[in-house]
Each structure stands twice: as C-alpha cells, then as structure tokens.
Amino acid sequence: MTDNVIISIKGKQLYAESSPDEMELVTSGTLNWDAQGGCTVSYQETELTGLEGTTTKLHIDGGRVTLLREGSINSQMVFEEGRRHLSMYETPYGALSIGVNTRRMRSTLNEAGGDLEIDYAIEIDNLLAGQNLFRMNVKKNPSLPQ
C-alpha cells in the first residue's frame, strides 16, 4: 500500500544513571482502519533510530496499543493505562523479557490523523530500567489526492 500519512515521532528516555536520551523522527507511513474501529499506523525504521531494516506497526484499539516490530529487531509491547504487561524484546545479542508499565496514554487518532502519547516505564528482571515518553503525530500526506 502507498504511504498515505506523514508521521512525526518524538521519544524521550530517562535513565537513573545518565542524562535523558531524546530522539525525533519524521517519516512517511500508512494509517489504516479496521471494521471494529481500531487503526494501525505502520512505518519503516531508519538508521536514525538504530532499527534500520525494521517495520514498526502500532495497533490502537480502544484503551490498548500494541507495538509490533519485525525485521532486524523483533518485539511486541502492549500498552494499557494503569496496567503492566510482560513482553519479549529480541536484540542481536539475544532476547529479553521486559515489563511495560503504562502510566498514562492518550490518543486522538481519527481518519484525518491525530496524536498518540504514551508515558511508560520499562522493567528488566522486575527492576526499573527507565522512564519513557513516546509522542506520535499523524497527518494525511499532502502530496496525495484527497
């Protein structure tokens, strides 16, 4: 499918022992809606994110967001406000079992685009590894016919 949206992503990671790590990415991607009212935002990762060769898909369905990465890195993370989910995260060095504790989540996505914000903590072996803030803005690609 042709890329039909422009996706702006801002990520901020806070670790106890170091200064914040911030990342910003603007890329093209797709926004598709399913019959049940959920949507999927999909895009290709780049060298900037360190995940080149990976496709990222975010499925937003009500109060749950599932992030699925496939390619050079494979992982699935589930975000649900006030809940903790266990996930597997594959790296070139092996797989990790991580906990994802979503503190706050907000989505205004609709057919025209919108925003998604997720504030969450990552745990490794039940120990806090970092606080993360993920912000994504989706807009219709202005170069495509409406």
Side-chain angles (χ1 to χ4, degrees):
M1 177 178 183
T2 304
D3 291 349
N4 62 358
V5 292
I6 302 297
I7 303 165
S8 302
I9 298 168
K10 292 182 181 180
K12 186 175 190 177
Q13 299 174 320
L14 302 167
Y15 302 103
E17 303 296 320
S18 62
S19 60
D21 183 20
E22 296 188 37
M23 181 273 307
E24 192 168 340
L25 172 70
V26 176
T27 189
S28 60
T30 60
L31 171 63
N32 296 304
W33 290 85
D34 60 37
Q36 292 77 34
C39 70
T40 300
V41 177
S42 179
Y43 62 93
Q44 295 294 316
E45 295 285 352
T46 69
E47 193 176 323
L48 176 69
T49 63
L51 301 173
E52 190 174 23
T54 301
T55 300
T56 296
K57 295 179 183 178
L58 290 115
H59 183 72
I60 300 100
D61 191 8
R64 178 184 284 220
V65 174
T66 303
L67 182 147
L68 182 64
R69 287 194 169 118
E70 296 175 313
S72 59
I73 298 288
N74 295 299
S75 68
Q76 178 176 323
M77 299 167 78
V78 177
F79 304 94
E80 205 168 359
E81 190 169 311
R83 301 221 27 217
R84 180 177 177 266
H85 289 274
L86 293 177
S87 301
M88 289 302 292
Y89 193 88
E90 287 184 32
T91 73
Y93 310 104
L96 295 171
S97 176
I98 60 172
V100 178
N101 189 356
T102 306
R103 298 188 318 185
R104 188 173 51 85
M105 188 167 63
R106 174 180 73 82
S107 174
T108 62
L109 285 170
N110 59 40
E111 288 80 6
D115 295 298
L116 173 67
E117 183 176 298
I118 305 172
D119 182 356
Y120 65 101
I122 294 282
E123 303 167 357
I124 300 174
D125 291 334
N126 295 315
L127 297 173
L128 182 64
Q131 298 284 346
N132 299 272
L133 182 58
F134 174 87
R135 289 186 174 126
M136 179 175 67
N137 174 264
V138 179
K139 293 181 183 164
K140 289 284 185 183
N141 189 334
S143 65
L144 294 176
Q146 299 298 315

